[in-house]
Coordinates of all heavy atoms in Angstrom, one line a residue:
V339 N 76.6 66.5 -10.5 CA 77.9 65.9 -10.6 C 78.8 66.3 -9.5 O 78.9 67.5 -9.1 CB 78.6 66.4 -12.0 CG1 80.0 65.9 -12.0 CG2 77.8 65.8 -13.1
V340 N 79.4 65.3 -8.8 CA 80.3 65.5 -7.7 C 81.7 65.2 -8.2 O 82.0 64.1 -8.8 CB 80.0 64.7 -6.5 CG1 81.1 64.8 -5.4 CG2 78.6 65.1 -5.9
T341 N 82.7 66.1 -8.1 CA 84.1 65.9 -8.5 C 84.9 65.8 -7.2 O 84.8 66.6 -6.3 CB 84.6 67.1 -9.4 OG1 83.6 67.3 -10.4 CG2 85.9 66.7 -10.0
V342 N 85.7 64.8 -7.2 CA 86.6 64.5 -6.0 C 88.1 64.6 -6.5 O 88.4 63.9 -7.5 CB 86.4 63.1 -5.4 CG1 87.3 62.9 -4.2 CG2 84.9 63.0 -5.0
I343 N 88.9 65.4 -5.9 CA 90.2 65.7 -6.3 C 91.2 65.6 -5.1 O 90.9 66.2 -4.1 CB 90.4 67.1 -7.0 CG1 89.5 67.2 -8.2 CG2 91.8 67.4 -7.4 CD1 89.4 68.5 -8.9
G344 N 92.3 65.0 -5.3 CA 93.3 65.0 -4.2 C 94.6 64.3 -4.7 O 94.6 63.6 -5.7
S345 N 95.7 64.6 -4.0 CA 96.9 63.9 -4.3 C 96.8 62.4 -4.1 O 97.5 61.6 -4.7 CB 98.1 64.5 -3.5 OG 97.8 64.4 -2.1
R346 N 96.0 62.1 -3.1 CA 95.6 60.7 -2.9 C 94.1 60.7 -2.5 O 93.7 61.5 -1.7 CB 96.4 60.1 -1.7 CG 96.0 58.7 -1.3 CD 96.7 58.3 0.0 NE 96.2 57.0 0.5 CZ 95.2 56.8 1.3 NH1 94.5 57.9 1.7 NH2 94.8 55.6 1.6
V347 N 93.4 59.7 -3.1 CA 92.0 59.6 -2.7 C 91.8 58.1 -2.2 O 91.7 57.2 -3.0 CB 91.0 59.9 -3.9 CG1 89.6 59.7 -3.4 CG2 91.2 61.3 -4.4
G348 N 91.9 58.0 -0.9 CA 91.8 56.6 -0.3 C 90.4 56.2 0.0 O 89.4 56.9 -0.2
P349 N 90.2 55.0 0.5 CA 88.9 54.4 0.8 C 88.2 55.2 1.8 O 87.0 55.4 1.8 CB 89.2 53.0 1.2 CG 90.6 52.9 1.6 CD 91.3 53.9 0.7
D350 N 89.0 55.8 2.8 CA 88.3 56.6 3.8 C 87.8 57.9 3.2 O 86.7 58.4 3.6 CB 89.3 56.9 4.9 CG 90.7 57.4 4.5 OD1 90.9 57.3 3.2 OD2 91.5 57.9 5.3
D351 N 88.6 58.5 2.3 CA 88.1 59.7 1.6 C 86.9 59.5 0.8 O 85.9 60.2 0.8 CB 89.2 60.3 0.8 CG 90.5 60.5 1.5 OD1 90.4 61.0 2.7 OD2 91.6 60.2 1.0
F352 N 87.0 58.4 0.0 CA 85.8 58.1 -0.9 C 84.6 57.7 -0.1 O 83.5 58.0 -0.4 CB 86.2 56.9 -1.9 CG 85.9 57.2 -3.3 CD1 86.8 57.1 -4.3 CD2 84.6 57.5 -3.7 CE1 86.5 57.3 -5.6 CE2 84.3 57.8 -5.0 CZ 85.3 57.6 -6.0
G353 N 84.9 57.0 1.0 CA 83.8 56.6 1.9 C 83.0 57.8 2.5 O 81.8 57.8 2.6
A354 N 83.8 58.8 2.9 CA 83.2 60.0 3.4 C 82.4 60.8 2.4 O 81.3 61.3 2.7 CB 84.3 61.0 3.9
V355 N 82.8 60.8 1.1 CA 82.1 61.4 0.1 C 80.8 60.6 -0.2 O 79.7 61.2 -0.3 CB 82.9 61.5 -1.2 CG1 82.1 61.9 -2.4 CG2 84.1 62.5 -1.0
A356 N 80.9 59.3 -0.3 CA 79.7 58.5 -0.5 C 78.7 58.6 0.6 O 77.5 58.6 0.3 CB 80.2 57.0 -0.7
S357 N 79.2 58.7 1.8 CA 78.3 58.8 3.0 C 77.6 60.1 2.9 O 76.4 60.2 3.2 CB 79.1 58.7 4.3 OG 79.6 57.4 4.4
A358 N 78.3 61.2 2.6 CA 77.7 62.5 2.5 C 76.5 62.5 1.4 O 75.5 63.1 1.6 CB 78.7 63.6 2.1
I359 N 76.8 61.9 0.3 CA 75.7 61.8 -0.7 C 74.6 61.0 -0.2 O 73.4 61.4 -0.4 CB 76.4 61.2 -2.0 CG1 77.4 62.1 -2.6 CG2 75.3 60.9 -3.0 CD1 78.2 61.5 -3.7
A360 N 74.8 59.8 0.4 CA 73.7 59.0 0.9 C 73.0 59.7 2.0 O 71.7 59.6 2.0 CB 74.3 57.6 1.4
D361 N 73.7 60.3 2.9 CA 73.0 61.0 4.0 C 72.1 62.1 3.5 O 71.1 62.5 4.2 CB 74.0 61.6 5.0 CG 74.8 60.5 5.8 OD1 74.3 59.3 5.7 OD2 75.8 60.7 6.4
G362 N 72.4 62.7 2.4 CA 71.6 63.8 1.8 C 70.5 63.2 0.9 O 69.8 64.0 0.3
G363 N 70.4 61.9 0.9 CA 69.3 61.3 0.1 C 69.6 61.0 -1.4 O 68.8 60.7 -2.1
G364 N 70.9 61.2 -1.7 CA 71.3 61.0 -3.1 C 71.8 59.6 -3.4 O 72.1 58.9 -2.5
N365 N 71.8 59.3 -4.7 CA 72.3 58.0 -5.1 C 73.4 58.2 -6.2 O 73.2 59.0 -7.1 CB 71.2 57.2 -5.7 CG 71.6 55.8 -6.1 OD1 72.0 54.9 -5.2 ND2 71.6 55.5 -7.4
I366 N 74.5 57.4 -6.1 CA 75.6 57.5 -7.1 C 75.2 56.6 -8.2 O 75.1 55.4 -8.0 CB 76.9 57.1 -6.4 CG1 77.3 58.0 -5.3 CG2 78.0 57.2 -7.5 CD1 78.5 57.6 -4.5
D367 N 75.0 57.2 -9.4 CA 74.6 56.4 -10.6 C 75.8 55.8 -11.3 O 75.8 54.7 -11.8 CB 73.9 57.2 -11.6 CG 72.5 57.7 -11.0 OD1 72.0 57.0 -10.1 OD2 72.0 58.7 -11.5
R368 N 76.9 56.6 -11.4 CA 78.1 56.1 -12.0 C 79.3 56.9 -11.5 O 79.2 58.0 -11.1 CB 78.0 56.1 -13.5 CG 77.9 57.4 -14.1 CD 77.8 57.3 -15.7 NE 76.6 56.6 -16.1 CZ 75.4 57.1 -16.3 NH1 75.2 58.4 -16.1 NH2 74.4 56.4 -16.6
I369 N 80.5 56.2 -11.7 CA 81.8 56.9 -11.3 C 82.8 56.6 -12.4 O 82.9 55.5 -12.9 CB 82.3 56.3 -9.9 CG1 81.3 56.4 -8.8 CG2 83.6 56.9 -9.5 CD1 81.7 55.6 -7.6
F370 N 83.5 57.6 -12.7 CA 84.7 57.4 -13.6 C 85.8 58.3 -13.3 O 85.6 59.4 -12.7 CB 84.3 57.4 -15.1 CG 83.9 58.8 -15.6 CD1 84.8 59.8 -16.0 CD2 82.5 59.1 -15.6 CE1 84.4 61.0 -16.4 CE2 82.1 60.3 -16.1 CZ 83.0 61.3 -16.5
R371 N 87.0 57.8 -13.6 CA 88.2 58.6 -13.2 C 88.5 59.6 -14.3 O 88.5 59.3 -15.5 CB 89.4 57.6 -13.1 CG 90.7 58.3 -12.5 CD 91.9 57.4 -12.6 NE 92.3 57.2 -14.0 CZ 92.3 56.0 -14.6 NH1 92.0 54.9 -13.9 NH2 92.6 55.8 -15.8
L372 N 88.9 60.8 -13.9 CA 89.3 61.9 -14.8 C 90.8 62.0 -15.0 O 91.2 62.4 -16.0 CB 88.7 63.2 -14.3 CG 87.2 63.4 -14.3 CD1 86.8 64.6 -13.4 CD2 86.7 63.6 -15.7
S373 N 91.5 61.7 -13.9 CA 93.0 61.9 -14.0 C 93.7 61.0 -13.0 O 93.1 60.7 -11.9 CB 93.4 63.3 -13.8 OG 93.1 63.7 -12.4
R374 N 94.9 60.7 -13.3 CA 95.8 60.0 -12.3 C 96.8 60.9 -11.8 O 97.3 60.7 -10.7 CB 96.5 58.8 -13.0 CG 95.7 57.6 -13.4 CD 96.6 56.4 -13.7 NE 95.9 55.3 -14.4 CZ 95.9 55.1 -15.7 NH1 96.6 55.9 -16.5 NH2 95.3 54.1 -16.2
Y375 N 97.2 62.0 -12.6 CA 98.2 63.0 -12.1 C 97.9 64.2 -12.9 O 97.3 64.2 -13.9 CB 99.6 62.4 -12.3 CG 99.9 62.0 -13.8 CD1 100.3 63.0 -14.7 CD2 99.9 60.7 -14.2 CE1 100.5 62.6 -16.0 CE2 100.2 60.3 -15.5 CZ 100.5 61.3 -16.4 OH 100.7 61.0 -17.7
P376 N 98.4 65.4 -12.4 CA 99.2 65.6 -11.3 C 98.5 65.3 -10.0 O 99.0 65.3 -8.9 CB 99.7 67.0 -11.3 CG 98.5 67.7 -12.1 CD 98.1 66.6 -13.1
V377 N 97.1 65.1 -10.1 CA 96.3 64.7 -9.0 C 95.4 63.6 -9.4 O 95.2 63.4 -10.6 CB 95.5 65.9 -8.4 CG1 96.3 67.0 -7.8 CG2 94.6 66.5 -9.6
I378 N 94.8 62.9 -8.5 CA 93.8 61.9 -8.8 C 92.5 62.6 -8.7 O 92.2 63.3 -7.8 CB 93.9 60.7 -7.8 CG1 95.2 60.0 -7.9 CG2 92.8 59.8 -8.0 CD1 95.5 59.0 -6.8
S379 N 91.6 62.3 -9.7 CA 90.3 62.9 -9.7 C 89.3 62.0 -10.2 O 89.5 61.2 -11.1 CB 90.3 64.3 -10.4 OG 90.6 64.1 -11.8
Y380 N 88.1 62.1 -9.7 CA 86.9 61.2 -10.1 C 85.7 62.1 -10.3 O 85.5 63.1 -9.6 CB 86.6 60.1 -9.1 CG 87.7 59.1 -8.9 CD1 88.7 59.3 -7.9 CD2 87.8 58.0 -9.7 CE1 89.7 58.4 -7.7 CE2 88.8 57.1 -9.5 CZ 89.8 57.3 -8.5 OH 90.8 56.3 -8.3

Side-chain angles (χ1 to χ4, degrees):
V339 169
V340 172
T341 310
V342 182
I343 301 175
S345 57
R346 172 188 178 274
V347 180
D350 48 347
D351 306 316
F352 228 126
V355 170
S357 294
I359 293 170
D361 291 345
N365 183 67
I366 301 173
D367 295 337
R368 64 179 62 88
I369 304 171
F370 63 87
R371 190 189 66 240
L372 293 166
S373 66
R374 292 195 190 100
Y375 56 80
V377 291
I378 297 170
S379 61
Y380 296 92

